[in-house]
Each structure stands twice: as C-alpha cells, then as structure tokens.
Amino acid sequence: MLKLYFLLYYEFLKIGAFAIGGGYAALPFLYYIQKQHQWFSIEELTNMIAVSNITPGPIGINMATYTGFTTAGILGSICATTAIMTIPFLIVIIIIKLFDKFKNLKEINDIFIGLRPAACALLTSIGLTLLYQTIKIENTIDYKALILFLILIIPFSFIKKNPLLIILAGALGGIIINSF
C-alpha cells in the first residue's frame, strides 16, 4: 500500500508541475493516468470533473482529492492533494521573490505566449475525447447525450453563463431527457 501512496504522490506531483493553465489543464494528465494505472474509468473521470466543478475549491485540487480518495482512501487523497500543490506552491514563492526583477523580460513573455496555445491544444484534445466517450454507447451514438451537449454548449459558449448554472442544467436535463 505504501507503494501506491508514493505512486499517487509522484503522478500528481507531475500534474502539479506541468498542468499550467488551471485545473482543466490537468485533464490530459488524468486521462494518461487512467490509461496507465486504471485507477478510475473514463466514466469516473467525467464524474470527477462534474463533482470537481460543483464542489468549492480549485478544480485541479478537487480532482486530485477525488482520485486519491477513490484509489487509496483518506491517505490517498492527502497524498494526491499535497502532491498537486507542492510544485505550484514552490513556484509561486520563487516567482513572488523574482517577479519584479524579471517581469519585463521578452523571453519570459515569449514562453507564456507559447504555453497558452499548448494548454489550449491539450484541453481541446481531451475535451473531444471526453465528448466522444460521453456520447458513445458501445458502437452507437447516445443521441440524448449529444442533444443535451448541444443544448448546453450554446449558452456557455455564446452567452457566457455561470458554469454552475450549466452543470445544474445538465443534471436537470439528464433527469428530463432520460425520463422519455
């Protein structure tokens, strides 16, 4: 069991170090963990995202806590949560100390200009993968899920409504659409 705790810590330490751009940037890493370790299924990953969105706190930390708990209980959640915060915490401390000195360097700005499209590409890729997994049942398309997705993406994409409202609408829509 100790090996599992170290493995959880190691995997989430990597996520904390390289998931630049917020909690959703952790999704490609979580997808990799799912394929590599099978600690959770793709369906559980989508549930994890939903639960992380409706619970208070940063999404990445919520997903780490959720994964750690479902994989190895309370100690697992402590390992994963601590690990995902370790590197960003150290980086923030260093940045605070050095920010004024380096904030105007062209190279620093160039790095962030390159990181934003990379994070966007990773998020788009995992988003499309999760969409495919969500609407696919065996070898057919779940048209109810596809219709619900299309109905929900419009207000979020164009009207910019609160994400919580979209999640609640999705939950209500799931109840309604599956009652037919």
PDB file of all heavy atoms in Angstrom, residues 79-116:
ATOM      1  N   CYS A  79      -2.232  12.364  -0.070  1.00  0.00           N
ATOM      2  CA  CYS A  79      -1.043  12.259  -0.940  1.00  0.00           C
ATOM      3  C   CYS A  79      -1.247  13.012  -2.253  1.00  0.00           C
ATOM      4  O   CYS A  79      -0.396  13.820  -2.653  1.00  0.00           O
ATOM      5  CB  CYS A  79      -0.735  10.789  -1.242  1.00  0.00           C
ATOM      6  SG  CYS A  79       0.019   9.892   0.097  1.00  0.00           S
ATOM      7  N   ALA A  80      -2.362  12.732  -2.930  1.00  0.00           N
ATOM      8  CA  ALA A  80      -2.612  13.341  -4.237  1.00  0.00           C
ATOM      9  C   ALA A  80      -2.789  14.851  -4.119  1.00  0.00           C
ATOM     10  O   ALA A  80      -2.248  15.620  -4.924  1.00  0.00           O
ATOM     11  CB  ALA A  80      -3.832  12.701  -4.889  1.00  0.00           C
ATOM     12  N   THR A  81      -3.529  15.285  -3.114  1.00  0.00           N
ATOM     13  CA  THR A  81      -3.790  16.711  -2.937  1.00  0.00           C
ATOM     14  C   THR A  81      -2.505  17.462  -2.590  1.00  0.00           C
ATOM     15  O   THR A  81      -2.229  18.536  -3.150  1.00  0.00           O
ATOM     16  CB  THR A  81      -4.856  16.935  -1.842  1.00  0.00           C
ATOM     17  OG1 THR A  81      -6.029  16.207  -2.208  1.00  0.00           O
ATOM     18  CG2 THR A  81      -5.198  18.400  -1.702  1.00  0.00           C
ATOM     19  N   THR A  82      -1.727  16.917  -1.688  1.00  0.00           N
ATOM     20  CA  THR A  82      -0.456  17.548  -1.320  1.00  0.00           C
ATOM     21  C   THR A  82       0.480  17.602  -2.515  1.00  0.00           C
ATOM     22  O   THR A  82       1.139  18.616  -2.769  1.00  0.00           O
ATOM     23  CB  THR A  82       0.208  16.783  -0.158  1.00  0.00           C
ATOM     24  OG1 THR A  82      -0.711  16.725   0.932  1.00  0.00           O
ATOM     25  CG2 THR A  82       1.488  17.454   0.291  1.00  0.00           C
ATOM     26  N   ALA A  83       0.522  16.525  -3.263  1.00  0.00           N
ATOM     27  CA  ALA A  83       1.434  16.452  -4.407  1.00  0.00           C
ATOM     28  C   ALA A  83       1.091  17.474  -5.479  1.00  0.00           C
ATOM     29  O   ALA A  83       1.987  18.148  -6.010  1.00  0.00           O
ATOM     30  CB  ALA A  83       1.410  15.044  -4.998  1.00  0.00           C
ATOM     31  N   ILE A  84      -0.193  17.616  -5.804  1.00  0.00           N
ATOM     32  CA  ILE A  84      -0.564  18.535  -6.881  1.00  0.00           C
ATOM     33  C   ILE A  84      -0.292  19.994  -6.506  1.00  0.00           C
ATOM     34  O   ILE A  84      -0.098  20.846  -7.364  1.00  0.00           O
ATOM     35  CB  ILE A  84      -2.032  18.332  -7.330  1.00  0.00           C
ATOM     36  CG1 ILE A  84      -2.235  18.876  -8.746  1.00  0.00           C
ATOM     37  CG2 ILE A  84      -3.001  18.943  -6.347  1.00  0.00           C
ATOM     38  CD1 ILE A  84      -3.525  18.449  -9.388  1.00  0.00           C
ATOM     39  N   MET A  85      -0.219  20.264  -5.186  1.00  0.00           N
ATOM     40  CA  MET A  85       0.035  21.631  -4.728  1.00  0.00           C
ATOM     41  C   MET A  85       1.516  21.928  -4.492  1.00  0.00           C
ATOM     42  O   MET A  85       1.904  23.102  -4.446  1.00  0.00           O
ATOM     43  CB  MET A  85      -0.721  21.890  -3.416  1.00  0.00           C
ATOM     44  CG  MET A  85      -2.214  21.889  -3.570  1.00  0.00           C
ATOM     45  SD  MET A  85      -3.111  22.365  -2.071  1.00  0.00           S
ATOM     46  CE  MET A  85      -2.392  21.345  -0.805  1.00  0.00           C
ATOM     47  N   THR A  86       2.354  20.917  -4.362  1.00  0.00           N
ATOM     48  CA  THR A  86       3.751  21.124  -3.963  1.00  0.00           C
ATOM     49  C   THR A  86       4.525  22.018  -4.932  1.00  0.00           C
ATOM     50  O   THR A  86       5.073  23.048  -4.531  1.00  0.00           O
ATOM     51  CB  THR A  86       4.472  19.773  -3.800  1.00  0.00           C
ATOM     52  OG1 THR A  86       3.778  19.001  -2.822  1.00  0.00           O
ATOM     53  CG2 THR A  86       5.911  19.956  -3.386  1.00  0.00           C
ATOM     54  N   ILE A  87       4.613  21.629  -6.184  1.00  0.00           N
ATOM     55  CA  ILE A  87       5.403  22.386  -7.171  1.00  0.00           C
ATOM     56  C   ILE A  87       4.810  23.779  -7.404  1.00  0.00           C
ATOM     57  O   ILE A  87       5.564  24.766  -7.377  1.00  0.00           O
ATOM     58  CB  ILE A  87       5.552  21.601  -8.496  1.00  0.00           C
ATOM     59  CG1 ILE A  87       6.244  20.267  -8.265  1.00  0.00           C
ATOM     60  CG2 ILE A  87       6.273  22.442  -9.548  1.00  0.00           C
ATOM     61  CD1 ILE A  87       7.681  20.342  -7.841  1.00  0.00           C
ATOM     62  N   PRO A  88       3.495  23.916  -7.643  1.00  0.00           N
ATOM     63  CA  PRO A  88       2.968  25.279  -7.807  1.00  0.00           C
ATOM     64  C   PRO A  88       3.234  26.174  -6.594  1.00  0.00           C
ATOM     65  O   PRO A  88       3.534  27.360  -6.748  1.00  0.00           O
ATOM     66  CB  PRO A  88       1.465  25.070  -8.002  1.00  0.00           C
ATOM     67  CG  PRO A  88       1.351  23.698  -8.551  1.00  0.00           C
ATOM     68  CD  PRO A  88       2.460  22.918  -7.910  1.00  0.00           C
ATOM     69  N   PHE A  89       3.153  25.617  -5.401  1.00  0.00           N
ATOM     70  CA  PHE A  89       3.427  26.384  -4.200  1.00  0.00           C
ATOM     71  C   PHE A  89       4.870  26.903  -4.215  1.00  0.00           C
ATOM     72  O   PHE A  89       5.126  28.090  -3.977  1.00  0.00           O
ATOM     73  CB  PHE A  89       3.179  25.528  -2.952  1.00  0.00           C
ATOM     74  CG  PHE A  89       3.496  26.209  -1.663  1.00  0.00           C
ATOM     75  CD1 PHE A  89       2.641  27.163  -1.138  1.00  0.00           C
ATOM     76  CD2 PHE A  89       4.660  25.915  -0.967  1.00  0.00           C
ATOM     77  CE1 PHE A  89       2.935  27.810   0.055  1.00  0.00           C
ATOM     78  CE2 PHE A  89       4.967  26.548   0.229  1.00  0.00           C
ATOM     79  CZ  PHE A  89       4.100  27.498   0.739  1.00  0.00           C
ATOM     80  N   LEU A  90       5.804  26.019  -4.539  1.00  0.00           N
ATOM     81  CA  LEU A  90       7.217  26.419  -4.591  1.00  0.00           C
ATOM     82  C   LEU A  90       7.461  27.429  -5.711  1.00  0.00           C
ATOM     83  O   LEU A  90       8.202  28.401  -5.530  1.00  0.00           O
ATOM     84  CB  LEU A  90       8.112  25.195  -4.764  1.00  0.00           C
ATOM     85  CG  LEU A  90       8.112  24.205  -3.597  1.00  0.00           C
ATOM     86  CD1 LEU A  90       8.909  22.955  -3.951  1.00  0.00           C
ATOM     87  CD2 LEU A  90       8.643  24.858  -2.333  1.00  0.00           C
ATOM     88  N   ILE A  91       6.816  27.216  -6.851  1.00  0.00           N
ATOM     89  CA  ILE A  91       6.978  28.135  -7.979  1.00  0.00           C
ATOM     90  C   ILE A  91       6.448  29.523  -7.632  1.00  0.00           C
ATOM     91  O   ILE A  91       7.085  30.538  -7.938  1.00  0.00           O
ATOM     92  CB  ILE A  91       6.301  27.578  -9.252  1.00  0.00           C
ATOM     93  CG1 ILE A  91       7.093  26.373  -9.777  1.00  0.00           C
ATOM     94  CG2 ILE A  91       6.169  28.649 -10.329  1.00  0.00           C
ATOM     95  CD1 ILE A  91       6.413  25.623 -10.902  1.00  0.00           C
ATOM     96  N   VAL A  92       5.293  29.570  -6.979  1.00  0.00           N
ATOM     97  CA  VAL A  92       4.724  30.862  -6.602  1.00  0.00           C
ATOM     98  C   VAL A  92       5.646  31.599  -5.634  1.00  0.00           C
ATOM     99  O   VAL A  92       5.860  32.808  -5.774  1.00  0.00           O
ATOM    100  CB  VAL A  92       3.304  30.694  -6.008  1.00  0.00           C
ATOM    101  CG1 VAL A  92       2.828  31.958  -5.320  1.00  0.00           C
ATOM    102  CG2 VAL A  92       2.324  30.300  -7.096  1.00  0.00           C
ATOM    103  N   ILE A  93       6.214  30.871  -4.694  1.00  0.00           N
ATOM    104  CA  ILE A  93       7.148  31.504  -3.750  1.00  0.00           C
ATOM    105  C   ILE A  93       8.341  32.084  -4.514  1.00  0.00           C
ATOM    106  O   ILE A  93       8.747  33.231  -4.271  1.00  0.00           O
ATOM    107  CB  ILE A  93       7.638  30.477  -2.710  1.00  0.00           C
ATOM    108  CG1 ILE A  93       6.478  29.933  -1.940  1.00  0.00           C
ATOM    109  CG2 ILE A  93       8.746  31.071  -1.838  1.00  0.00           C
ATOM    110  CD1 ILE A  93       6.291  30.378  -0.543  1.00  0.00           C
ATOM    111  N   ILE A  94       8.879  31.321  -5.454  1.00  0.00           N
ATOM    112  CA  ILE A  94      10.028  31.795  -6.237  1.00  0.00           C
ATOM    113  C   ILE A  94       9.620  32.981  -7.116  1.00  0.00           C
ATOM    114  O   ILE A  94      10.337  33.983  -7.192  1.00  0.00           O
ATOM    115  CB  ILE A  94      10.614  30.648  -7.090  1.00  0.00           C
ATOM    116  CG1 ILE A  94      11.253  29.608  -6.171  1.00  0.00           C
ATOM    117  CG2 ILE A  94      11.612  31.175  -8.111  1.00  0.00           C
ATOM    118  CD1 ILE A  94      11.587  28.290  -6.850  1.00  0.00           C
ATOM    119  N   ILE A  95       8.458  32.878  -7.766  1.00  0.00           N
ATOM    120  CA  ILE A  95       8.006  33.961  -8.643  1.00  0.00           C
ATOM    121  C   ILE A  95       7.795  35.246  -7.855  1.00  0.00           C
ATOM    122  O   ILE A  95       8.158  36.337  -8.320  1.00  0.00           O
ATOM    123  CB  ILE A  95       6.729  33.549  -9.402  1.00  0.00           C
ATOM    124  CG1 ILE A  95       7.081  32.518 -10.475  1.00  0.00           C
ATOM    125  CG2 ILE A  95       6.042  34.756 -10.035  1.00  0.00           C
ATOM    126  CD1 ILE A  95       5.885  31.908 -11.175  1.00  0.00           C
ATOM    127  N   ILE A  96       7.199  35.126  -6.693  1.00  0.00           N
ATOM    128  CA  ILE A  96       6.989  36.318  -5.867  1.00  0.00           C
ATOM    129  C   ILE A  96       8.320  37.003  -5.580  1.00  0.00           C
ATOM    130  O   ILE A  96       8.429  38.223  -5.640  1.00  0.00           O
ATOM    131  CB  ILE A  96       6.265  35.958  -4.554  1.00  0.00           C
ATOM    132  CG1 ILE A  96       4.812  35.600  -4.852  1.00  0.00           C
ATOM    133  CG2 ILE A  96       6.353  37.078  -3.534  1.00  0.00           C
ATOM    134  CD1 ILE A  96       4.075  34.992  -3.671  1.00  0.00           C
ATOM    135  N   LYS A  97       9.325  36.210  -5.306  1.00  0.00           N
ATOM    136  CA  LYS A  97      10.642  36.771  -4.991  1.00  0.00           C
ATOM    137  C   LYS A  97      11.315  37.394  -6.224  1.00  0.00           C
ATOM    138  O   LYS A  97      12.047  38.364  -6.117  1.00  0.00           O
ATOM    139  CB  LYS A  97      11.564  35.689  -4.403  1.00  0.00           C
ATOM    140  CG  LYS A  97      11.101  35.159  -3.071  1.00  0.00           C
ATOM    141  CD  LYS A  97      11.300  36.190  -1.998  1.00  0.00           C
ATOM    142  CE  LYS A  97      10.943  35.635  -0.648  1.00  0.00           C
ATOM    143  NZ  LYS A  97      10.986  36.625   0.393  1.00  0.00           N
ATOM    144  N   LEU A  98      11.051  36.813  -7.402  1.00  0.00           N
ATOM    145  CA  LEU A  98      11.768  37.246  -8.605  1.00  0.00           C
ATOM    146  C   LEU A  98      10.937  38.068  -9.586  1.00  0.00           C
ATOM    147  O   LEU A  98      11.482  38.578 -10.567  1.00  0.00           O
ATOM    148  CB  LEU A  98      12.317  36.018  -9.338  1.00  0.00           C
ATOM    149  CG  LEU A  98      13.275  35.130  -8.555  1.00  0.00           C
ATOM    150  CD1 LEU A  98      13.649  33.902  -9.368  1.00  0.00           C
ATOM    151  CD2 LEU A  98      14.526  35.909  -8.154  1.00  0.00           C
ATOM    152  N   PHE A  99       9.633  38.186  -9.352  1.00  0.00           N
ATOM    153  CA  PHE A  99       8.740  38.784 -10.344  1.00  0.00           C
ATOM    154  C   PHE A  99       9.148  40.192 -10.761  1.00  0.00           C
ATOM    155  O   PHE A  99       9.245  40.490 -11.952  1.00  0.00           O
ATOM    156  CB  PHE A  99       7.296  38.787  -9.849  1.00  0.00           C
ATOM    157  CG  PHE A  99       6.335  39.293 -10.880  1.00  0.00           C
ATOM    158  CD1 PHE A  99       6.058  38.542 -12.013  1.00  0.00           C
ATOM    159  CD2 PHE A  99       5.727  40.527 -10.735  1.00  0.00           C
ATOM    160  CE1 PHE A  99       5.181  38.998 -12.972  1.00  0.00           C
ATOM    161  CE2 PHE A  99       4.847  40.998 -11.691  1.00  0.00           C
ATOM    162  CZ  PHE A  99       4.574  40.237 -12.814  1.00  0.00           C
ATOM    163  N   ASP A 100       9.363  41.046  -9.814  1.00  0.00           N
ATOM    164  CA  ASP A 100       9.707  42.426 -10.163  1.00  0.00           C
ATOM    165  C   ASP A 100      10.991  42.511 -10.986  1.00  0.00           C
ATOM    166  O   ASP A 100      11.118  43.359 -11.863  1.00  0.00           O
ATOM    167  CB  ASP A 100       9.841  43.284  -8.900  1.00  0.00           C
ATOM    168  CG  ASP A 100       8.487  43.652  -8.315  1.00  0.00           C
ATOM    169  OD1 ASP A 100       7.508  43.680  -9.084  1.00  0.00           O
ATOM    170  OD2 ASP A 100       8.418  43.895  -7.098  1.00  0.00           O
ATOM    171  N   LYS A 101      11.898  41.611 -10.723  1.00  0.00           N
ATOM    172  CA  LYS A 101      13.188  41.641 -11.416  1.00  0.00           C
ATOM    173  C   LYS A 101      13.060  41.181 -12.879  1.00  0.00           C
ATOM    174  O   LYS A 101      13.754  41.703 -13.752  1.00  0.00           O
ATOM    175  CB  LYS A 101      14.177  40.746 -10.660  1.00  0.00           C
ATOM    176  CG  LYS A 101      15.571  40.780 -11.200  1.00  0.00           C
ATOM    177  CD  LYS A 101      16.509  39.962 -10.337  1.00  0.00           C
ATOM    178  CE  LYS A 101      17.923  40.006 -10.857  1.00  0.00           C
ATOM    179  NZ  LYS A 101      18.827  39.203 -10.043  1.00  0.00           N
ATOM    180  N   PHE A 102      12.154  40.199 -13.158  1.00  0.00           N
ATOM    181  CA  PHE A 102      12.118  39.593 -14.484  1.00  0.00           C
ATOM    182  C   PHE A 102      10.820  39.802 -15.259  1.00  0.00           C
ATOM    183  O   PHE A 102      10.682  39.296 -16.365  1.00  0.00           O
ATOM    184  CB  PHE A 102      12.365  38.083 -14.371  1.00  0.00           C
ATOM    185  CG  PHE A 102      13.725  37.744 -13.859  1.00  0.00           C
ATOM    186  CD1 PHE A 102      13.893  37.230 -12.582  1.00  0.00           C
ATOM    187  CD2 PHE A 102      14.845  37.960 -14.638  1.00  0.00           C
ATOM    188  CE1 PHE A 102      15.150  36.917 -12.097  1.00  0.00           C
ATOM    189  CE2 PHE A 102      16.110  37.657 -14.161  1.00  0.00           C
ATOM    190  CZ  PHE A 102      16.270  37.136 -12.889  1.00  0.00           C
ATOM    191  N   LYS A 103       9.862  40.548 -14.729  1.00  0.00           N
ATOM    192  CA  LYS A 103       8.539  40.632 -15.349  1.00  0.00           C
ATOM    193  C   LYS A 103       8.545  41.233 -16.745  1.00  0.00           C
ATOM    194  O   LYS A 103       7.654  40.958 -17.537  1.00  0.00           O
ATOM    195  CB  LYS A 103       7.563  41.377 -14.451  1.00  0.00           C
ATOM    196  CG  LYS A 103       7.828  42.851 -14.304  1.00  0.00           C
ATOM    197  CD  LYS A 103       6.807  43.475 -13.387  1.00  0.00           C
ATOM    198  CE  LYS A 103       7.138  44.938 -13.144  1.00  0.00           C
ATOM    199  NZ  LYS A 103       6.223  45.518 -12.190  1.00  0.00           N
ATOM    200  N   ASN A 104       9.532  42.014 -17.095  1.00  0.00           N
ATOM    201  CA  ASN A 104       9.563  42.659 -18.408  1.00  0.00           C
ATOM    202  C   ASN A 104      10.486  41.962 -19.408  1.00  0.00           C
ATOM    203  O   ASN A 104      10.690  42.483 -20.505  1.00  0.00           O
ATOM    204  CB  ASN A 104       9.945  44.130 -18.259  1.00  0.00           C
ATOM    205  CG  ASN A 104       8.892  44.905 -17.496  1.00  0.00           C
ATOM    206  OD1 ASN A 104       7.699  44.666 -17.670  1.00  0.00           O
ATOM    207  ND2 ASN A 104       9.324  45.812 -16.635  1.00  0.00           N
ATOM    208  N   LEU A 105      11.048  40.838 -19.050  1.00  0.00           N
ATOM    209  CA  LEU A 105      11.928  40.123 -19.982  1.00  0.00           C
ATOM    210  C   LEU A 105      11.127  39.552 -21.148  1.00  0.00           C
ATOM    211  O   LEU A 105      10.101  38.906 -20.958  1.00  0.00           O
ATOM    212  CB  LEU A 105      12.646  38.980 -19.274  1.00  0.00           C
ATOM    213  CG  LEU A 105      13.881  39.331 -18.458  1.00  0.00           C
ATOM    214  CD1 LEU A 105      14.473  38.075 -17.846  1.00  0.00           C
ATOM    215  CD2 LEU A 105      14.928  40.032 -19.302  1.00  0.00           C
ATOM    216  N   LYS A 106      11.608  39.781 -22.344  1.00  0.00           N
ATOM    217  CA  LYS A 106      10.949  39.291 -23.552  1.00  0.00           C
ATOM    218  C   LYS A 106      10.859  37.763 -23.548  1.00  0.00           C
ATOM    219  O   LYS A 106       9.845  37.191 -23.941  1.00  0.00           O
ATOM    220  CB  LYS A 106      11.698  39.782 -24.789  1.00  0.00           C
ATOM    221  CG  LYS A 106      11.058  39.338 -26.088  1.00  0.00           C
ATOM    222  CD  LYS A 106      11.914  39.728 -27.269  1.00  0.00           C
ATOM    223  CE  LYS A 106      11.372  39.304 -28.604  1.00  0.00           C
ATOM    224  NZ  LYS A 106      10.706  38.050 -28.695  1.00  0.00           N
ATOM    225  N   GLU A 107      11.891  37.100 -23.094  1.00  0.00           N
ATOM    226  CA  GLU A 107      11.901  35.630 -23.095  1.00  0.00           C
ATOM    227  C   GLU A 107      10.802  35.058 -22.196  1.00  0.00           C
ATOM    228  O   GLU A 107      10.176  34.065 -22.547  1.00  0.00           O
ATOM    229  CB  GLU A 107      13.269  35.093 -22.637  1.00  0.00           C
ATOM    230  CG  GLU A 107      14.410  35.384 -23.586  1.00  0.00           C
ATOM    231  CD  GLU A 107      14.998  36.780 -23.449  1.00  0.00           C
ATOM    232  OE1 GLU A 107      14.601  37.530 -22.525  1.00  0.00           O
ATOM    233  OE2 GLU A 107      15.840  37.135 -24.290  1.00  0.00           O
ATOM    234  N   ILE A 108      10.571  35.677 -21.069  1.00  0.00           N
ATOM    235  CA  ILE A 108       9.512  35.224 -20.157  1.00  0.00           C
ATOM    236  C   ILE A 108       8.155  35.386 -20.831  1.00  0.00           C
ATOM    237  O   ILE A 108       7.318  34.472 -20.811  1.00  0.00           O
ATOM    238  CB  ILE A 108       9.556  36.004 -18.813  1.00  0.00           C
ATOM    239  CG1 ILE A 108      10.879  35.791 -18.094  1.00  0.00           C
ATOM    240  CG2 ILE A 108       8.366  35.648 -17.937  1.00  0.00           C
ATOM    241  CD1 ILE A 108      11.151  34.366 -17.663  1.00  0.00           C
ATOM    242  N   ASN A 109       7.918  36.532 -21.454  1.00  0.00           N
ATOM    243  CA  ASN A 109       6.658  36.755 -22.166  1.00  0.00           C
ATOM    244  C   ASN A 109       6.517  35.790 -23.336  1.00  0.00           C
ATOM    245  O   ASN A 109       5.418  35.288 -23.597  1.00  0.00           O
ATOM    246  CB  ASN A 109       6.549  38.205 -22.634  1.00  0.00           C
ATOM    247  CG  ASN A 109       6.353  39.155 -21.484  1.00  0.00           C
ATOM    248  OD1 ASN A 109       5.620  38.843 -20.545  1.00  0.00           O
ATOM    249  ND2 ASN A 109       7.003  40.303 -21.528  1.00  0.00           N
ATOM    250  N   ASP A 110       7.611  35.504 -24.034  1.00  0.00           N
ATOM    251  CA  ASP A 110       7.577  34.557 -25.153  1.00  0.00           C
ATOM    252  C   ASP A 110       7.209  33.151 -24.689  1.00  0.00           C
ATOM    253  O   ASP A 110       6.467  32.436 -25.370  1.00  0.00           O
ATOM    254  CB  ASP A 110       8.927  34.522 -25.874  1.00  0.00           C
ATOM    255  CG  ASP A 110       9.219  35.800 -26.654  1.00  0.00           C
ATOM    256  OD1 ASP A 110       8.284  36.620 -26.824  1.00  0.00           O
ATOM    257  OD2 ASP A 110      10.374  35.973 -27.066  1.00  0.00           O
ATOM    258  N   ILE A 111       7.721  32.761 -23.545  1.00  0.00           N
ATOM    259  CA  ILE A 111       7.392  31.439 -23.003  1.00  0.00           C
ATOM    260  C   ILE A 111       5.889  31.337 -22.767  1.00  0.00           C
ATOM    261  O   ILE A 111       5.249  30.358 -23.171  1.00  0.00           O
ATOM    262  CB  ILE A 111       8.176  31.167 -21.695  1.00  0.00           C
ATOM    263  CG1 ILE A 111       9.649  30.921 -22.015  1.00  0.00           C
ATOM    264  CG2 ILE A 111       7.576  29.997 -20.925  1.00  0.00           C
ATOM    265  CD1 ILE A 111      10.560  30.891 -20.801  1.00  0.00           C
ATOM    266  N   PHE A 112       5.297  32.348 -22.149  1.00  0.00           N
ATOM    267  CA  PHE A 112       3.865  32.306 -21.871  1.00  0.00           C
ATOM    268  C   PHE A 112       3.032  32.394 -23.142  1.00  0.00           C
ATOM    269  O   PHE A 112       1.954  31.797 -23.220  1.00  0.00           O
ATOM    270  CB  PHE A 112       3.477  33.386 -20.859  1.00  0.00           C
ATOM    271  CG  PHE A 112       3.834  32.983 -19.462  1.00  0.00           C
ATOM    272  CD1 PHE A 112       4.949  33.517 -18.848  1.00  0.00           C
ATOM    273  CD2 PHE A 112       3.084  32.049 -18.772  1.00  0.00           C
ATOM    274  CE1 PHE A 112       5.305  33.132 -17.563  1.00  0.00           C
ATOM    275  CE2 PHE A 112       3.429  31.649 -17.495  1.00  0.00           C
ATOM    276  CZ  PHE A 112       4.544  32.192 -16.884  1.00  0.00           C
ATOM    277  N   ILE A 113       3.527  33.076 -24.151  1.00  0.00           N
ATOM    278  CA  ILE A 113       2.830  33.120 -25.436  1.00  0.00           C
ATOM    279  C   ILE A 113       2.781  31.713 -26.044  1.00  0.00           C
ATOM    280  O   ILE A 113       1.797  31.330 -26.662  1.00  0.00           O
ATOM    281  CB  ILE A 113       3.501  34.134 -26.391  1.00  0.00           C
ATOM    282  CG1 ILE A 113       3.172  35.553 -25.930  1.00  0.00           C
ATOM    283  CG2 ILE A 113       3.067  33.923 -27.831  1.00  0.00           C
ATOM    284  CD1 ILE A 113       3.952  36.646 -26.644  1.00  0.00           C
ATOM    285  N   GLY A 114       3.817  30.927 -25.857  1.00  0.00           N
ATOM    286  CA  GLY A 114       3.832  29.552 -26.366  1.00  0.00           C
ATOM    287  C   GLY A 114       3.056  28.578 -25.496  1.00  0.00           C
ATOM    288  O   GLY A 114       2.485  27.606 -25.990  1.00  0.00           O
ATOM    289  N   LEU A 115       3.035  28.819 -24.188  1.00  0.00           N
ATOM    290  CA  LEU A 115       2.330  27.900 -23.282  1.00  0.00           C
ATOM    291  C   LEU A 115       0.817  27.967 -23.432  1.00  0.00           C
ATOM    292  O   LEU A 115       0.126  26.952 -23.302  1.00  0.00           O
ATOM    293  CB  LEU A 115       2.713  28.188 -21.826  1.00  0.00           C
ATOM    294  CG  LEU A 115       4.116  27.775 -21.406  1.00  0.00           C
ATOM    295  CD1 LEU A 115       4.398  28.235 -19.986  1.00  0.00           C
ATOM    296  CD2 LEU A 115       4.304  26.279 -21.538  1.00  0.00           C
ATOM    297  N   ARG A 116       0.267  29.124 -23.714  1.00  0.00           N
ATOM    298  CA  ARG A 116      -1.190  29.256 -23.835  1.00  0.00           C
ATOM    299  C   ARG A 116      -1.756  28.397 -24.963  1.00  0.00           C
ATOM    300  O   ARG A 116      -2.701  27.636 -24.735  1.00  0.00           O
ATOM    301  CB  ARG A 116      -1.581  30.726 -23.979  1.00  0.00           C
ATOM    302  CG  ARG A 116      -1.479  31.486 -22.653  1.00  0.00           C
ATOM    303  CD  ARG A 116      -2.077  32.892 -22.749  1.00  0.00           C
ATOM    304  NE  ARG A 116      -1.274  33.782 -23.571  1.00  0.00           N
ATOM    305  CZ  ARG A 116      -0.366  34.629 -23.091  1.00  0.00           C
ATOM    306  NH1 ARG A 116      -0.141  34.702 -21.805  1.00  0.00           N
ATOM    307  NH2 ARG A 116       0.306  35.403 -23.904  1.00  0.00           N
TER     308      ARG A 116
END
